[in-house]
Every structure is written in C-alpha cells, then in structure tokens.
Amino acid sequence: MKCMFCNGPAGFMKTYHPECKTKVEGHLSKLEAVLNGYNQEKIGFSAAKQQLVELASSNSFYQNYLWNSAGSSSRKEIRTNEVLIYVETQVSIAESKNWKTMERTGLSYARYPTWEAGPRKIEDMATVAFTDKAIYLLGFEKTYIYPYNKIVNIGFERDKRGTAYFDVKTTSPHPHRFELWATDGRSTSKGQNITLCLSCLSGWKFS
C-alpha cells in the first residue's frame, strides 16, 4: 500500500510512514495557529487567508494528504485553478430551503405545487473541502459548490451535535442553509473546524 502522505510504498497493510505523519501533523498545527489567530482577532482577514494558502500549497506531503483524504473522485470536482487548503471527511449534511413538491389534488388528480421550508438530510458520509475560492460539499451523488462571496452568514451550535452552518444568497424569503456535523454524532471538533475554516476564508465571524 502507498503512504497517504508521501505516496511512496508504506508496506503490507500500512497506509502511512510514521515520520511522514509527524511532518503533516506539524503542518496542521501551523494552519490551526493561523485559524485561531484570526478567530481571536490577532490576524486580519487578508493576512490570515494568504497565510493559509501559502501553508497549504508549500508542502507536498500535506497536499498529498488532502487529496488522498478527499478521494479520487474529488479531482474531477475541484477546479484545477484553486488551491486545496483543508478537508473534513465523514460529515452529515442537511439543507434547509423553501422546498417545492408536486401533489395530486382534487377529482381530476391535477398536480399542484406545495411548499415546505425546513431541513432535509441530503448526505450522510460526505467530504467537505475548502479551497482558496470556495467550499465544496462532496457527496456520493451530487457536489455542491459555493464561492465564499455567496455566503451571507455562518455559525456553530455546540449543543446541536456540534453543528456548523452557513447561509447562501437566495431570492426566497426563507433562508437557504446548510448544516454540517460529524456522521458519528459524537465529535463536536469536526463542526468547529469547519466553522473556523469557513470564517477565515469567507471573512464572516461567528459566535
């Protein structure tokens, strides 16, 4: 098997070299310091985003780790002119918007639209990828791509399974929201990491 960090042979039933993993963990700590610095208002938005892009693109082991974590299909979805910065896997996603369904009504069984504003789970084992330009929600059947300038609000709800959420621009009077949380339902750090990345890359603060 290949090492997910250096792409070299890792040995039988092994997915990484311990020394490669240590290098990438050190690189992740640097990215975490930038995210926390921005969240604590020690680093400005432009400087923080630039540092994240430079850190992510400067280490080939880290890039290998991101792409291997995201999966082979992600290379078809993520635009080649963007820098992959961070990835979270095994994420459940719910979408809230003004849903339209067609129902049969009356003696003629004609179909009429009905509207329902509320959350619906759309993915159970998705991958969330952050580039320098957009957030990607990579599902089994569909990929959602939202440039950061289309996001109008973000937040984090620790008491709700550690759920991260963001709203996107819409002409509907109802908000168009995506909620993201760890598929296992236990870890709150996954949602918190998503919110921190989204805040630093979009410029939106959260409480």
Side-chain angles (χ1 to χ4, degrees):
M1 298 182 71
K2 287 186 177 181
C3 172
M4 67 182 301
F5 304 113
C6 72
N7 283 339
F12 181 68
M13 297 296 290
K14 294 181 180 179
T15 57
Y16 63 86
H17 301 119
E19 61 272 21
C20 295
K21 182 181 179 182
T22 299
K23 290 179 181 178
V24 171
E25 286 176 341
H27 208 70
L28 278 167
S29 296
K30 294 178 182 178
L31 270 80
E32 184 180 4
V34 175
L35 293 171
N36 289 331
Y38 173 73
N39 189 46
Q40 296 165 9
E41 300 185 346
K42 296 178 180 178
I43 309 173
F45 168 63
S46 297
K49 186 172 183 177
Q50 182 179 355
Q51 287 181 42
L52 287 180
V53 173
E54 290 176 352
L55 280 169
S57 59
S58 65
N59 189 302
S60 61
F61 281 28
Y62 181 67
Q63 280 295 304
N64 290 337
Y65 159 71
L66 292 178
W67 286 109
N68 288 328
S69 297
S72 57
S73 61
S74 64
R75 292 187 179 274
K76 302 176 184 177
E77 304 291 346
I78 297 175
R79 298 184 179 109
T80 56
N81 64 336
E82 299 181 16
V83 178
L84 188 57
I85 294 175
Y86 186 71
V87 167
E88 279 285 359
T89 60
Q90 299 184 12
V91 177
S92 293
I93 303 174
E95 183 181 11
S96 296
K97 65 178 182 180
N98 203 12
W99 298 92
K100 178 183 178 181
T101 56
M102 300 296 289
E103 294 185 358
R104 296 188 181 278
T105 315
L107 296 176
S108 64
Y109 290 96
R111 294 174 71 87
Y112 296 95
T114 60
W115 299 88
E116 174 196 355
R120 294 182 183 179
K121 184 182 283 189
I122 57 173
E123 291 289 346
D124 228 350
M125 289 287 286
T127 295
V128 181
F130 296 89
T131 72
D132 58 327
K133 297 178 181 177
I135 180 173
Y136 289 73
L137 309 180
L138 304 164
F140 284 110
E141 297 183 358
K142 187 175 180 179
T143 294
Y144 301 79
I145 306 171
Y146 289 100
Y148 298 123
N149 61 7
K150 299 294 184 183
I151 295 173
V152 296
N153 181 41
I154 69 170
F156 176 69
E157 297 176 306
R158 185 178 298 276
D159 296 335
K160 191 179 176 183
R161 299 170 295 192
T163 297
Y165 66 83
F166 66 93
D167 298 343
V168 296
K169 289 180 182 178
T170 178
T171 56
S172 169
H174 301 280
H176 189 180
R177 173 170 293 186
F178 289 90
E179 299 179 358
L180 308 95
W181 66 93
T183 297
D184 64 15
R186 296 190 298 269
S187 172
T188 62
S189 61
K190 201 175 290 282
Q192 195 165 18
N193 291 342
I194 290 171
T195 310
L196 280 170
C197 282
L198 197 53
S199 175
C200 193
L201 292 166
S202 69
W204 285 96
K205 291 289 188 178
F206 70 99
S207 56

